[in-house]
Amino acid sequence: MCRTVDLHQAVLAKNDTNAVELRRTLDDRGTTAVNLMSSPGSGKTALLEALLTRAVAGGTPAAAVTADLATENDATRLARSGAPVQQILTDGLCHLEAGMLGAKLEGWLPDGTRLLFVENVGNLVCPASYDLGETLRIALASVTEGEDKPVKYPAAFGLAHLVVVTKTDLAEAVEFRRDDFLRGVQQVNPGVPVIETSARTGEGVDALFAHVLRAADGQEAHTPVLAQHHEKHLHHDHGTPAASADLPPSPAGTPR
């Protein structure tokens, strides 16, 4: 077990080194990377297509890289926006790593790209541990996934600079308890901004795009409390859930 943990720590340390180099390269190019993380089926791809469409329509140079275990379906869909898109197939790996992203960008990322959206593998466990050199990390959850998502995945939501709720047009139909969800978000990441969206109706999409643009303009992002405990919460063995002992008790009515 010790050797397994040591190997995992070595992989994460190498990733951190690659992430620092990639962040420096993107900064030098004037490119802001946005890491989008969620469970499968959260509506992440639909929302990203809407963001790319707005970027293209408004003349903001934007590109996207999307990662999946298999198929290029999401890349094909995102390309409808008119923005440059590349697919990374992880062949079963549950997350992206900075080295994988850097290799895909080398020789491809168009000059002058201001926004680079990275659609991570659909997973709220492994991707939380891997820095991709992003400026903005966004954790997404749909109303159809339930109110307890943030407290079930405290590392993913606790390390986010922004939390986005998706599919709000379905909130009434699925009896989404909005207040419980928001309490859970603030429990694991006090002070983090939350934007509620619907790719179908357009609700919140402009607000989200404006938030991303402000980050690109240099506005300082929210600092997650968990970021101060990087080794404890970010670098954990895949076989051991991230510690939640430092988190306050679950709000009343919210299951852990």
Side-chain angles (χ1 to χ4, degrees):
M1 179 63 179
C2 290
R3 293 187 65 183
T4 301
V5 173
D6 288 345
L7 177 60
H8 183 61
Q9 295 297 330
V11 170
L12 288 169
K14 181 178 180 181
N15 182 81
D16 284 349
T17 298
N18 290 337
V20 168
E21 294 175 356
L22 181 55
R23 183 174 288 109
R24 183 181 301 117
T25 297
L26 292 173
D27 285 346
D28 289 344
R29 297 184 59 148
T31 301
T32 295
V34 182
N35 183 2
L36 302 170
M37 299 189 306
S38 76
S39 299
S42 68
K44 179 168 76 267
T45 306
L47 185 59
L48 178 52
E49 183 181 3
L51 291 171
L52 290 171
T53 299
R54 278 165 172 72
V56 172
T60 300
V65 173
T66 181
D68 268 311
L69 277 67
T71 84
E72 297 191 1
N73 294 348
D74 287 351
T76 300
R77 179 176 183 177
L78 293 175
R80 299 186 308 198
S81 68
V85 177
Q86 283 283 299
Q87 178 80 51
I88 294 178
L89 297 180
T90 65
D91 294 324
L93 193 64
C94 64
H95 59 272
L96 269 180
E97 296 179 4
M100 298 164 61
L101 179 59
K104 177 61 69 172
L105 296 179
E106 189 174 355
W108 169 75
L109 186 65
D111 291 337
T113 298
R114 186 179 182 198
L115 302 177
L116 172 65
F117 292 95
V118 182
E119 183 181 21
N120 217 315
V121 178
N123 185 342
L124 282 174
V125 182
C126 306
S129 296
Y130 289 84
D131 183 359
L132 299 182
E134 69 266 22
T135 297
L136 192 63
R137 177 180 287 209
I138 303 178
L140 304 92
S142 71
V143 300
T144 59
E145 296 175 75
E147 301 80 15
D148 59 350
K149 210 72 173 182
V151 293
K152 281 186 173 180
Y153 299 94
F157 287 90
L159 287 164
H161 301 115
L162 173 68
V163 171
V164 171
V165 182
T166 62
K167 303 185 182 181
T168 55
D169 53 298
L170 299 176
E172 184 176 354
V174 299
E175 298 182 346
F176 178 64
R177 298 195 302 272
R178 176 178 179 272
D179 290 345
D180 288 348
F181 179 87
L182 295 177
R183 278 196 294 270
V185 170
Q186 295 305 315
Q187 174 188 328
V188 301
N189 196 342
V192 67
V194 178
I195 297 178
E196 299 172 72
T197 69
S198 168
R200 176 172 293 178
T201 68
E203 177 192 356
V205 178
D206 287 338
L208 176 55
F209 188 62
H211 189 102
V212 172
L213 285 178
R214 287 194 295 272
D217 286 339
Q219 177 174 300
E220 186 173 353
H222 164 75
T223 301
V225 173
L226 288 190
Q228 302 170 15
H229 307 283
H230 184 269
E231 291 300 322
K232 180 177 181 181
H233 293 279
L234 188 59
H235 288 179
H236 63 276
D237 177 27
H238 280 211
T240 305
S244 59
D246 290 350
L247 301 176
S250 298
T254 304
R256 189 185 285 274

Coordinates of all heavy atoms in Angstrom, one line a residue, residues 141-224:
A141 N -22.9 21.1 -11.6 CA -23.8 20.0 -11.2 C -25.2 20.4 -11.7 O -25.6 21.6 -11.7 CB -23.9 19.9 -9.7
S142 N -25.9 19.4 -12.2 CA -27.2 19.7 -12.8 C -28.3 19.5 -11.7 O -28.0 18.8 -10.7 CB -27.5 18.8 -13.9 OG -27.7 17.4 -13.5
V143 N -29.4 20.1 -11.8 CA -30.5 20.0 -10.8 C -31.0 18.6 -10.8 O -31.6 18.2 -9.7 CB -31.6 21.0 -11.2 CG1 -31.2 22.4 -11.2 CG2 -32.3 20.6 -12.5
T144 N -30.8 17.8 -11.8 CA -31.3 16.4 -11.8 C -30.4 15.5 -11.0 O -30.8 14.3 -10.8 CB -31.3 15.9 -13.3 OG1 -30.0 16.0 -13.9 CG2 -32.3 16.7 -14.1
E145 N -29.2 16.0 -10.5 CA -28.3 15.1 -9.8 C -28.5 15.2 -8.3 O -27.9 14.4 -7.5 CB -26.9 15.5 -10.1 CG -26.4 15.4 -11.5 CD -25.0 15.9 -11.8 OE1 -24.1 15.2 -11.4 OE2 -24.9 17.0 -12.4
G146 N -29.4 16.0 -7.8 CA -29.7 16.1 -6.4 C -29.0 17.2 -5.7 O -28.0 17.8 -6.2
E147 N -29.4 17.5 -4.5 CA -28.9 18.7 -3.8 C -27.6 18.4 -3.0 O -26.9 19.3 -2.6 CB -30.0 19.2 -2.8 CG -31.3 19.6 -3.4 CD -32.2 18.4 -3.7 OE1 -31.9 17.2 -3.2 OE2 -33.1 18.5 -4.5
D148 N -27.3 17.1 -2.8 CA -26.2 16.8 -2.0 C -24.9 16.6 -2.7 O -23.9 16.1 -2.1 CB -26.5 15.5 -1.1 CG -26.8 14.3 -2.0 OD1 -27.0 14.5 -3.2 OD2 -26.9 13.2 -1.5
K149 N -24.8 16.9 -4.0 CA -23.6 16.7 -4.8 C -22.4 17.4 -4.2 O -21.3 16.7 -4.1 CB -23.8 17.2 -6.2 CG -23.1 16.5 -7.3 CD -23.6 15.1 -7.5 CE -23.0 14.5 -8.7 NZ -23.6 13.1 -8.9
P150 N -22.5 18.6 -3.7 CA -21.3 19.3 -3.2 C -20.7 18.6 -2.0 O -19.5 18.5 -1.8 CB -21.7 20.7 -2.9 CG -22.9 20.9 -3.8 CD -23.6 19.6 -3.8
V151 N -21.6 18.1 -1.1 CA -21.0 17.5 0.2 C -20.6 16.1 -0.1 O -19.8 15.5 0.7 CB -22.1 17.6 1.3 CG1 -22.3 19.0 1.8 CG2 -23.4 16.9 0.9
K152 N -21.1 15.4 -1.2 CA -20.6 14.1 -1.5 C -19.3 14.2 -2.2 O -18.5 13.2 -2.1 CB -21.6 13.4 -2.4 CG -22.8 12.8 -1.7 CD -23.7 12.0 -2.7 CE -24.8 11.3 -2.0 NZ -25.6 10.5 -3.0
Y153 N -19.0 15.3 -2.9 CA -17.7 15.4 -3.6 C -17.0 16.7 -3.1 O -16.9 17.7 -3.9 CB -18.0 15.4 -5.1 CG -18.6 14.2 -5.6 CD1 -19.9 14.0 -5.7 CD2 -17.8 13.1 -5.9 CE1 -20.5 12.8 -6.1 CE2 -18.3 11.9 -6.4 CZ -19.7 11.8 -6.5 OH -20.2 10.6 -6.9
P154 N -16.6 16.8 -1.9 CA -16.1 18.0 -1.3 C -14.8 18.5 -1.9 O -14.6 19.7 -2.0 CB -15.8 17.7 0.2 CG -15.7 16.2 0.2 CD -16.6 15.7 -0.9
A155 N -14.0 17.6 -2.5 CA -12.7 18.1 -3.1 C -13.0 18.8 -4.4 O -12.5 19.9 -4.7 CB -11.8 16.9 -3.4
A156 N -13.9 18.2 -5.3 CA -14.3 18.8 -6.5 C -14.9 20.2 -6.4 O -14.5 21.1 -7.0 CB -15.2 17.9 -7.3
F157 N -15.9 20.3 -5.5 CA -16.5 21.6 -5.3 C -15.8 22.5 -4.3 O -15.8 23.7 -4.5 CB -18.0 21.3 -4.7 CG -18.9 20.8 -5.8 CD1 -19.0 19.4 -5.9 CD2 -19.6 21.6 -6.6 CE1 -19.9 18.9 -6.9 CE2 -20.4 21.1 -7.6 CZ -20.6 19.8 -7.7
G158 N -15.0 21.9 -3.4 CA -14.3 22.7 -2.5 C -13.0 23.4 -3.0 O -12.5 24.3 -2.5
L159 N -12.5 22.9 -4.2 CA -11.4 23.5 -4.8 C -11.7 24.3 -6.0 O -10.9 24.8 -6.8 CB -10.4 22.3 -5.2 CG -9.6 21.7 -4.1 CD1 -9.0 20.4 -4.5 CD2 -8.6 22.6 -3.5
A160 N -13.0 24.5 -6.3 CA -13.5 25.3 -7.4 C -13.4 26.8 -7.2 O -13.6 27.2 -6.1 CB -14.9 24.9 -7.8
H161 N -13.1 27.5 -8.2 CA -13.2 29.0 -8.2 C -14.6 29.5 -8.4 O -14.9 30.6 -8.1 CB -12.2 29.6 -9.2 CG -10.8 29.2 -9.1 ND1 -10.1 28.4 -10.0 CD2 -9.9 29.4 -8.1 CE1 -8.9 28.2 -9.7 NE2 -8.7 28.8 -8.5
L162 N -15.4 28.6 -9.0 CA -16.8 28.9 -9.4 C -17.6 27.7 -9.4 O -17.1 26.6 -9.9 CB -16.8 29.6 -10.8 CG -18.2 30.0 -11.4 CD1 -18.9 31.0 -10.6 CD2 -18.0 30.4 -12.8
V163 N -18.8 27.7 -9.0 CA -19.7 26.6 -9.1 C -20.9 27.0 -10.0 O -21.4 28.1 -9.9 CB -20.3 26.2 -7.7 CG1 -21.4 25.2 -7.8 CG2 -19.1 25.7 -6.8
V164 N -21.2 26.1 -10.9 CA -22.3 26.4 -11.9 C -23.3 25.3 -11.8 O -23.0 24.1 -11.8 CB -21.7 26.4 -13.3 CG1 -22.8 26.4 -14.3 CG2 -20.8 27.6 -13.5
V165 N -24.6 25.7 -11.6 CA -25.7 24.8 -11.6 C -26.3 24.8 -13.1 O -26.4 25.8 -13.7 CB -26.8 25.3 -10.7 CG1 -28.0 24.4 -10.7 CG2 -26.3 25.6 -9.3
T166 N -26.5 23.6 -13.6 CA -27.0 23.5 -14.9 C -28.4 22.9 -15.0 O -28.9 22.4 -14.0 CB -26.1 22.5 -15.8 OG1 -26.1 21.2 -15.2 CG2 -24.7 23.1 -15.8
K167 N -29.1 23.0 -16.1 CA -30.4 22.5 -16.4 C -31.5 23.1 -15.4 O -32.4 22.4 -15.0 CB -30.4 21.0 -16.3 CG -29.5 20.3 -17.2 CD -29.6 18.8 -17.2 CE -28.6 18.1 -18.1 NZ -28.7 16.6 -18.1
T168 N -31.4 24.3 -15.1 CA -32.3 24.9 -14.2 C -33.8 24.9 -14.7 O -34.7 25.1 -13.9 CB -31.9 26.4 -13.9 OG1 -31.8 27.1 -15.1 CG2 -30.6 26.5 -13.1
D169 N -33.9 24.8 -16.0 CA -35.3 24.7 -16.6 C -36.0 23.4 -16.1 O -37.2 23.3 -16.2 CB -35.2 24.7 -18.1 CG -34.3 23.6 -18.7 OD1 -33.1 23.7 -18.4 OD2 -34.7 22.7 -19.4
L170 N -35.3 22.5 -15.5 CA -35.9 21.2 -15.0 C -36.0 21.2 -13.5 O -36.5 20.2 -13.0 CB -35.0 20.0 -15.5 CG -34.8 19.8 -17.0 CD1 -33.9 18.6 -17.2 CD2 -36.1 19.5 -17.6
A171 N -35.6 22.3 -12.9 CA -35.6 22.3 -11.4 C -37.0 22.0 -10.8 O -37.1 21.2 -9.8 CB -35.1 23.7 -10.9
E172 N -38.0 22.6 -11.3 CA -39.3 22.4 -10.8 C -39.8 21.0 -11.0 O -40.4 20.3 -10.1 CB -40.3 23.4 -11.4 CG -41.7 23.3 -10.8 CD -42.7 24.3 -11.4 OE1 -42.3 25.2 -12.1 OE2 -43.9 24.3 -11.0
A173 N -39.5 20.4 -12.1 CA -40.0 19.1 -12.5 C -39.3 18.0 -11.6 O -40.0 17.0 -11.2 CB -39.7 18.8 -13.9
V174 N -38.1 18.2 -11.2 CA -37.4 17.3 -10.4 C -37.4 17.6 -8.9 O -36.8 17.0 -8.1 CB -35.9 17.1 -10.8 CG1 -35.9 16.6 -12.3 CG2 -35.1 18.4 -10.7
E175 N -38.1 18.7 -8.6 CA -38.2 19.2 -7.2 C -36.9 19.4 -6.5 O -36.6 19.0 -5.4 CB -39.1 18.2 -6.4 CG -40.5 18.0 -6.9 CD -41.3 17.1 -6.0 OE1 -40.7 16.3 -5.2 OE2 -42.5 17.1 -6.2
F176 N -36.1 20.2 -7.3 CA -34.7 20.5 -6.8 C -34.8 21.5 -5.7 O -35.4 22.5 -5.7 CB -34.0 21.2 -8.0 CG -32.6 21.6 -7.7 CD1 -31.6 20.7 -7.3 CD2 -32.2 23.0 -7.7 CE1 -30.3 21.1 -7.1 CE2 -31.0 23.4 -7.4 CZ -30.0 22.5 -7.1
R177 N -34.1 21.1 -4.6 CA -34.1 21.9 -3.4 C -32.9 22.9 -3.4 O -31.8 22.6 -2.9 CB -34.1 21.0 -2.1 CG -35.3 20.1 -2.0 CD -35.4 19.6 -0.5 NE -34.2 18.8 -0.2 CZ -34.0 17.5 -0.4 NH1 -34.9 16.8 -1.0 NH2 -32.9 16.9 0.0
R178 N -33.1 24.0 -4.0 CA -32.1 25.0 -4.3 C -31.3 25.4 -3.1 O -30.1 25.5 -3.0 CB -32.7 26.2 -5.1 CG -31.7 27.3 -5.4 CD -32.4 28.4 -6.1 NE -31.5 29.5 -6.4 CZ -31.3 30.5 -5.6 NH1 -31.9 30.6 -4.4 NH2 -30.4 31.5 -5.9
D179 N -32.1 25.7 -2.0 CA -31.5 26.2 -0.8 C -30.5 25.2 -0.2 O -29.5 25.5 0.3 CB -32.5 26.7 0.2 CG -33.3 27.9 -0.2 OD1 -32.8 28.6 -1.1 OD2 -34.3 28.2 0.3
D180 N -30.9 23.9 -0.2 CA -30.1 22.9 0.3 C -28.8 22.8 -0.5 O -27.7 22.6 0.1 CB -30.8 21.5 0.3 CG -31.9 21.5 1.4 OD1 -32.0 22.3 2.2 OD2 -32.8 20.5 1.3
F181 N -28.9 22.9 -1.8 CA -27.7 22.8 -2.6 C -26.8 23.9 -2.3 O -25.6 23.7 -2.1 CB -28.1 22.8 -4.1 CG -27.0 22.8 -5.1 CD1 -26.4 21.6 -5.5 CD2 -26.4 24.0 -5.5 CE1 -25.3 21.5 -6.3 CE2 -25.3 23.9 -6.4 CZ -24.8 22.7 -6.8
L182 N -27.3 25.1 -2.2 CA -26.4 26.3 -2.0 C -25.8 26.2 -0.6 O -24.6 26.6 -0.4 CB -27.3 27.6 -2.1 CG -27.8 27.9 -3.5 CD1 -28.6 29.1 -3.5 CD2 -26.7 28.0 -4.5
R183 N -26.5 25.7 0.4 CA -25.9 25.5 1.7 C -24.8 24.5 1.6 O -23.7 24.7 2.3 CB -27.0 25.0 2.7 CG -27.8 26.2 3.3 CD -28.5 25.7 4.6 NE -29.5 24.7 4.2 CZ -30.8 24.9 3.9 NH1 -31.2 26.2 3.9 NH2 -31.6 24.0 3.7
G184 N -24.9 23.5 0.9 CA -23.9 22.5 0.7 C -22.7 23.1 0.0 O -21.5 22.8 0.4
V185 N -22.9 23.9 -1.0 CA -21.7 24.6 -1.7 C -21.0 25.4 -0.7 O -19.7 25.4 -0.6 CB -22.3 25.4 -2.8 CG1 -21.1 26.3 -3.4 CG2 -22.8 24.5 -3.9
Q186 N -21.7 26.2 0.1 CA -21.0 27.1 1.0 C -20.3 26.4 2.2 O -19.3 26.8 2.8 CB -22.0 28.2 1.6 CG -22.5 29.1 0.5 CD -21.4 29.8 -0.3 OE1 -20.4 30.3 0.3 NE2 -21.5 29.9 -1.6
Q187 N -20.8 25.2 2.5 CA -20.2 24.3 3.5 C -18.8 23.9 3.1 O -17.9 23.9 3.9 CB -21.1 23.1 3.8 CG -20.5 22.1 4.7 CD -21.3 20.8 4.8 OE1 -22.5 20.8 4.7 NE2 -20.6 19.7 5.0
V188 N -18.7 23.5 1.9 CA -17.4 22.9 1.4 C -16.5 24.0 0.8 O -15.3 23.8 0.7 CB -17.6 21.8 0.4 CG1 -18.4 20.7 1.0 CG2 -18.2 22.3 -0.9
N189 N -17.1 25.2 0.4 CA -16.3 26.2 -0.2 C -16.9 27.6 0.1 O -17.5 28.2 -0.7 CB -16.3 26.0 -1.7 CG -15.2 26.7 -2.5 OD1 -14.6 27.7 -1.9 ND2 -14.9 26.4 -3.7
P190 N -16.7 28.0 1.3 CA -17.3 29.3 1.8 C -16.9 30.5 0.9 O -15.7 30.7 0.6 CB -16.7 29.5 3.2 CG -16.3 28.1 3.6 CD -15.9 27.4 2.4
G191 N -17.9 31.2 0.5 CA -17.7 32.4 -0.3 C -17.6 32.2 -1.8 O -17.5 33.2 -2.6
V192 N -17.6 30.9 -2.3 CA -17.5 30.7 -3.7 C -18.7 31.2 -4.5 O -19.8 31.0 -4.0 CB -17.3 29.2 -4.0 CG1 -18.5 28.4 -3.7 CG2 -16.9 29.0 -5.5
P193 N -18.5 31.9 -5.6 CA -19.7 32.4 -6.4 C -20.4 31.2 -7.0 O -19.8 30.2 -7.4 CB -19.1 33.3 -7.4 CG -17.6 33.0 -7.5 CD -17.2 32.4 -6.1
V194 N -21.7 31.3 -7.2 CA -22.5 30.3 -7.9 C -23.3 31.0 -9.0 O -23.9 32.0 -8.8 CB -23.5 29.6 -6.9 CG1 -24.4 28.6 -7.6 CG2 -22.7 29.0 -5.7
I195 N -23.3 30.4 -10.1 CA -24.1 30.9 -11.3 C -25.0 29.8 -11.7 O -24.6 28.6 -11.9 CB -23.2 31.3 -12.5 CG1 -22.3 32.5 -12.0 CG2 -24.0 31.7 -13.7 CD1 -21.3 33.0 -13.1
E196 N -26.3 30.1 -11.8 CA -27.3 29.1 -12.2 C -27.6 29.3 -13.7 O -27.9 30.4 -14.2 CB -28.6 29.3 -11.4 CG -28.3 29.1 -9.9 CD -29.4 29.5 -9.0 OE1 -30.5 28.7 -9.0 OE2 -29.3 30.5 -8.3
T197 N -27.6 28.2 -14.4 CA -27.7 28.3 -15.9 C -28.7 27.2 -16.5 O -29.0 26.2 -15.9 CB -26.3 28.0 -16.6 OG1 -26.0 26.6 -16.3 CG2 -25.3 28.9 -16.0
S198 N -29.1 27.5 -17.7 CA -29.8 26.6 -18.5 C -29.4 26.8 -20.0 O -29.6 27.8 -20.6 CB -31.3 26.8 -18.4 OG -32.0 26.0 -19.4
A199 N -28.7 25.8 -20.5 CA -28.3 25.9 -21.9 C -29.5 25.9 -22.8 O -29.5 26.5 -23.9 CB -27.4 24.7 -22.3
R200 N -30.6 25.3 -22.4 CA -31.8 25.3 -23.2 C -32.5 26.6 -23.3 O -32.9 27.1 -24.4 CB -32.8 24.3 -22.7 CG -34.2 24.2 -23.4 CD -35.0 23.1 -23.0 NE -34.4 21.8 -23.3 CZ -34.9 20.6 -23.0 NH1 -36.0 20.5 -22.3 NH2 -34.3 19.5 -23.4
T201 N -32.7 27.3 -22.2 CA -33.3 28.6 -22.2 C -32.4 29.8 -22.3 O -32.8 30.9 -22.6 CB -34.1 28.8 -20.9 OG1 -33.2 28.9 -19.8 CG2 -35.1 27.6 -20.7
G202 N -31.1 29.6 -22.0 CA -30.1 30.6 -22.1 C -29.9 31.3 -20.8 O -29.0 32.2 -20.6
E203 N -30.7 30.9 -19.7 CA -30.5 31.5 -18.4 C -29.1 31.4 -17.9 O -28.5 30.3 -17.9 CB -31.5 30.9 -17.4 CG -31.3 31.4 -16.0 CD -32.0 30.6 -14.9 OE1 -32.7 29.6 -15.3 OE2 -31.9 31.0 -13.7
G204 N -28.5 32.5 -17.5 CA -27.2 32.5 -16.8 C -26.0 32.3 -17.7 O -24.9 32.5 -17.3
V205 N -26.2 32.0 -19.0 CA -25.1 31.8 -19.9 C -24.3 33.1 -20.1 O -23.0 33.0 -20.1 CB -25.6 31.2 -21.3 CG1 -24.4 31.0 -22.2 CG2 -26.3 29.9 -21.1
D206 N -25.0 34.2 -20.3 CA -24.2 35.4 -20.5 C -23.5 35.8 -19.2 O -22.3 36.3 -19.3 CB -25.2 36.6 -20.8 CG -25.7 36.5 -22.3 OD1 -25.0 35.8 -23.1 OD2 -26.8 37.0 -22.6
A207 N -24.1 35.6 -18.1 CA -23.4 35.9 -16.8 C -22.2 35.0 -16.6 O -21.1 35.5 -16.2 CB -24.4 35.6 -15.6
L208 N -22.3 33.7 -17.0 CA -21.1 32.8 -16.9 C -20.0 33.3 -17.9 O -18.8 33.3 -17.5 CB -21.5 31.4 -17.3 CG -20.4 30.4 -17.3 CD1 -19.6 30.3 -16.0 CD2 -21.0 29.0 -17.6
F209 N -20.4 33.6 -19.1 CA -19.4 34.1 -20.1 C -18.7 35.4 -19.6 O -17.5 35.5 -19.7 CB -20.0 34.3 -21.4 CG -19.1 34.6 -22.5 CD1 -18.1 33.7 -22.9 CD2 -19.1 35.8 -23.2 CE1 -17.2 33.9 -23.9 CE2 -18.2 36.1 -24.2 CZ -17.2 35.1 -24.6
A210 N -19.5 36.3 -19.0 CA -18.9 37.5 -18.5 C -17.9 37.2 -17.3 O -16.9 37.9 -17.2 CB -20.0 38.4 -18.0
H211 N -18.2 36.2 -16.5 CA -17.4 35.8 -15.4 C -16.0 35.3 -16.0 O -14.9 35.7 -15.4 CB -18.0 34.8 -14.6 CG -17.3 34.4 -13.3 ND1 -17.7 34.9 -12.1 CD2 -16.2 33.7 -13.0 CE1 -16.9 34.5 -11.1 NE2 -15.9 33.7 -11.7
V212 N -16.1 34.5 -17.0 CA -14.9 34.0 -17.6 C -14.0 35.1 -18.2 O -12.8 35.1 -18.1 CB -15.2 32.9 -18.7 CG1 -14.0 32.5 -19.5 CG2 -15.9 31.7 -18.0
L213 N -14.7 36.0 -18.9 CA -14.0 37.2 -19.5 C -13.3 38.0 -18.4 O -12.2 38.5 -18.6 CB -15.0 38.0 -20.3 CG -15.4 37.5 -21.6 CD1 -16.4 38.4 -22.3 CD2 -14.2 37.2 -22.5
R214 N -13.9 38.2 -17.3 CA -13.3 39.0 -16.2 C -12.1 38.2 -15.7 O -11.0 38.9 -15.4 CB -14.3 39.2 -15.0 CG -15.4 40.2 -15.4 CD -16.1 40.7 -14.1 NE -16.9 39.6 -13.5 CZ -18.1 39.2 -13.8 NH1 -18.8 39.9 -14.7 NH2 -18.7 38.2 -13.2
A215 N -12.1 36.9 -15.6 CA -10.9 36.2 -15.2 C -9.8 36.4 -16.3 O -8.6 36.5 -15.9 CB -11.2 34.7 -15.1
A216 N -10.2 36.4 -17.5 CA -9.2 36.6 -18.6 C -8.6 38.0 -18.5 O -7.5 38.3 -18.9 CB -9.8 36.4 -20.0
D217 N -9.4 39.0 -18.0 CA -8.9 40.3 -17.9 C -8.0 40.5 -16.7 O -7.6 41.7 -16.4 CB -10.1 41.3 -17.8 CG -10.8 41.5 -19.2 OD1 -10.1 41.2 -20.2 OD2 -12.0 41.9 -19.2
G218 N -7.9 39.5 -15.9 CA -7.0 39.6 -14.7 C -7.7 39.7 -13.4 O -7.0 39.9 -12.4
Q219 N -9.0 39.6 -13.4 CA -9.7 39.7 -12.1 C -9.3 38.5 -11.2 O -9.4 37.4 -11.7 CB -11.2 39.8 -12.3 CG -12.0 39.8 -10.9 CD -13.5 40.1 -11.1 OE1 -13.9 41.1 -11.7 NE2 -14.3 39.1 -10.7
E220 N -9.0 38.7 -10.0 CA -8.6 37.6 -9.1 C -9.7 36.7 -8.8 O -10.8 37.2 -8.5 CB -8.0 38.2 -7.8 CG -7.4 37.1 -6.9 CD -6.7 37.7 -5.7 OE1 -6.5 39.0 -5.7 OE2 -6.2 37.0 -4.9
A221 N -9.5 35.4 -9.0 CA -10.5 34.4 -8.7 C -10.7 34.2 -7.2 O -9.8 34.5 -6.4 CB -10.2 33.1 -9.4
H222 N -11.8 33.7 -6.9 CA -12.1 33.2 -5.5 C -11.0 32.3 -5.1 O -10.6 31.4 -5.8 CB -13.5 32.5 -5.5 CG -13.7 31.7 -4.2 ND1 -14.0 32.3 -3.0 CD2 -13.7 30.4 -4.1 CE1 -14.1 31.3 -2.1 NE2 -14.0 30.1 -2.7
T223 N -10.6 32.4 -3.8 CA -9.6 31.5 -3.3 C -10.3 30.4 -2.4 O -10.7 30.8 -1.3 CB -8.5 32.2 -2.4 OG1 -7.9 33.2 -3.3 CG2 -7.5 31.3 -1.9
P224 N -10.3 29.2 -2.8 CA -11.0 28.1 -2.0 C -10.2 27.9 -0.7 O -9.0 27.9 -0.7 CB -11.0 26.9 -2.9 CG -10.7 27.4 -4.3 CD -9.9 28.6 -4.1

